[in-house]
Amino acid sequence: AEHSIEDFVLNEKLFLNGDGKFPEKITERQKKAFEHWAKTSLAQPEQYHVNEPVKKAVDSVLKEGRSKYSRTASAADKIHITYSDMSKFFPCPRKWLYSSILELKEDSLDSQLFSPFDYGNILHKILELFMKNFKGKKLPYTGIDGIFQDEEAILQLVIKCTQKAFTDTDRNIRGSPIAMTVLNSQVKAYSAMIMDALHKFCMPPEKTEGESFGGFTVFDAEKWLECRAGENESGDENSESFYFSGKVDCILSSDNGDVAIIDYKSSSDSIPDNKVSIVPPDFSEPEKFPMENFQMPVYVTLWNKNYARTKVSKVSFFSIKDKTFSQVLNENAADSASFSSGISPEKYENTLKCFHSFAKTFAEKTEKLDFLPGKDLNPFKECTKCDFISICRKTFEISGDN
């Protein structure tokens, strides 16, 4: 049937449904809507720009805020990179900007201030205080019955460390009466959990195929380390203009001088898979490996640059809740595609090269204030679980359409 060319809405509907020809006439409003679409969709995008307050905030965090801990005068105006920076920055720099620079957070009620992050930090703090009691001394080890020879003395030390951790924790929960009431009622529960973890952690190594650390000497706990990036150990020629920095949970040494680095995790779920954090030694272009976790490469680099004569030979994660180890560096590691028992220090070079490549990209992008999400970002994997999805303007591409 024929329709009047003045029936703008019907003619447009028929055309879009494939039942009519292109409309000969449209309304002024339709015209303006089309022109707006053409301008916003087809025109060249405006040049990306970050304002001056954000630039100052970035410098404040990466340079001024961290260089104040530095013992090197030349590091004062340089970028200092932590593993947390890189974990948030890749694959989406915008996530790092929102969380680490702008510090955007959801509002929460007083009763919600005791979060899972507080739980993990408190467990870390208890172990930190415990290990510092043994700094320069050998850790106790458990006997055949699975307990310490001085079990009661160790328990009382753990209780003391737990009580101190509740009031000395780095997280700001002391301002919450509800959170403090809950904590003070759980001294026994936290102490029992730490004791169970220590029973496994301090088993004689020969009883756990070298996983545990009973009898090892505590070098330090929550040790702050810093080094200049680059291949040159002296820190001059061939070195980069940025630094690495970070705190290592626990550093131990064996009787024969072997150094072990341990990072505590609240549970096994928090431990990264070696398949996404270790680069295979035969990977031809390690810089292109899709590394997803940078924690242990940072720690190994920090230690080896500061203590080049005694390089780290053992690196492990330890789950406090599950009482399990996950080895990353292991001199006795078996060859496995999944690196289930870790990788030997001699074969870790590709991983360090890959990590350094990511770190260089981080330094370059933050200096240029380039926080655009990368083209290789998978929105369905990263964006859907991101805390900032409600305010981020990253578009989804479906079947080629944005």
Side-chain angles (χ1 to χ4, degrees), residues 98-302:
Y98 288 154
S99 60
S100 299
I101 304 301
L102 302 181
E103 296 184 330
L104 302 180
K105 299 176 182 177
E106 289 188 39
D107 290 334
S108 60
L109 298 174
D110 185 68
S111 60
Q112 296 174 318
L113 290 179
F114 187 60
S115 71
F117 298 102
D118 294 312
Y119 168 79
N121 284 342
I122 290 170
L123 292 175
H124 274 68
K125 191 68 179 181
I126 298 171
L127 282 175
E128 174 196 342
L129 295 170
F130 178 86
M131 291 298 174
K132 284 186 174 179
N133 273 274
F134 287 92
K135 185 175 179 179
K137 305 174 186 176
K138 287 188 175 184
L139 287 172
Y141 54 86
T142 55
I144 298 176
D145 54 0
I147 63 174
F148 297 108
Q149 182 177 357
D150 298 323
E151 179 80 2
E152 183 59 29
I154 298 296
L155 174 59
Q156 292 305 313
L157 175 59
V158 169
I159 292 174
K160 181 180 177 181
C161 292
T162 301
Q163 292 170 330
K164 187 174 181 180
F166 287 172
T167 57
D168 198 359
T169 181
D170 292 333
R171 289 191 62 82
N172 186 27
I173 61 173
R174 284 177 292 174
S176 168
I178 295 177
M180 288 308 302
T181 300
V182 172
L183 281 177
N184 289 328
S185 68
Q186 296 185 11
V187 172
K188 289 185 178 180
Y190 273 90
S191 299
M193 181 181 296
I194 293 296
M195 283 296 290
D196 285 346
L198 287 173
H199 285 152
K200 178 61 180 288
F201 190 90
C202 293
M203 287 181 69
E206 60 271 17
K207 299 294 184 181
T208 60
E209 297 183 351
E211 284 190 335
S212 55
F213 299 97
F216 273 60
T217 299
V218 177
F219 177 83
D220 214 336
E222 286 294 305
K223 174 71 172 176
W224 176 268
L225 294 173
E226 174 192 79
C227 72
R228 188 171 184 174
E231 300 300 326
N232 193 327
E233 297 290 353
S234 66
D236 297 317
E237 187 180 359
N238 297 326
S239 289
E240 301 288 356
S241 60
F242 57 91
Y243 285 70
F244 296 121
S245 59
K247 282 185 178 180
V248 183
D249 283 350
C250 186
I251 305 171
L252 306 173
S253 63
S254 65
D255 287 341
N256 60 11
D258 290 338
V259 175
I261 287 177
I262 299 90
D263 186 81
Y264 312 126
K265 297 296 183 186
S266 302
S267 69
S268 299
D269 293 337
S270 304
I271 297 177
D273 192 328
N274 279 344
K275 289 187 290 185
V276 297
S277 56
I278 294 178
V279 182
D282 58 351
F283 200 83
S284 59
E285 296 182 274
E287 296 82 2
K288 296 183 179 180
F289 184 82
M291 183 179 285
E292 295 183 15
N293 188 277
F294 308 93
Q295 187 169 10
M296 289 315 194
V298 170
Y299 291 167
V300 171
T301 299
L302 285 169

Side-chain angles (χ1 to χ4, degrees), residues 72-90:
T72 308
S74 60
D77 61 342
K78 302 294 190 299
I79 288 175
H80 288 66
I81 303 174
T82 67
Y83 100 87
S84 178
D85 287 325
M86 296 178 64
S87 296
K88 294 176 182 177
F89 195 89
F90 298 102

Side-chain angles (χ1 to χ4, degrees), residues 380 395-402:
F380 301 101
T395 58
F396 288 69
E397 190 172 282
I398 303 174
S399 300
D401 296 325
N402 284 330

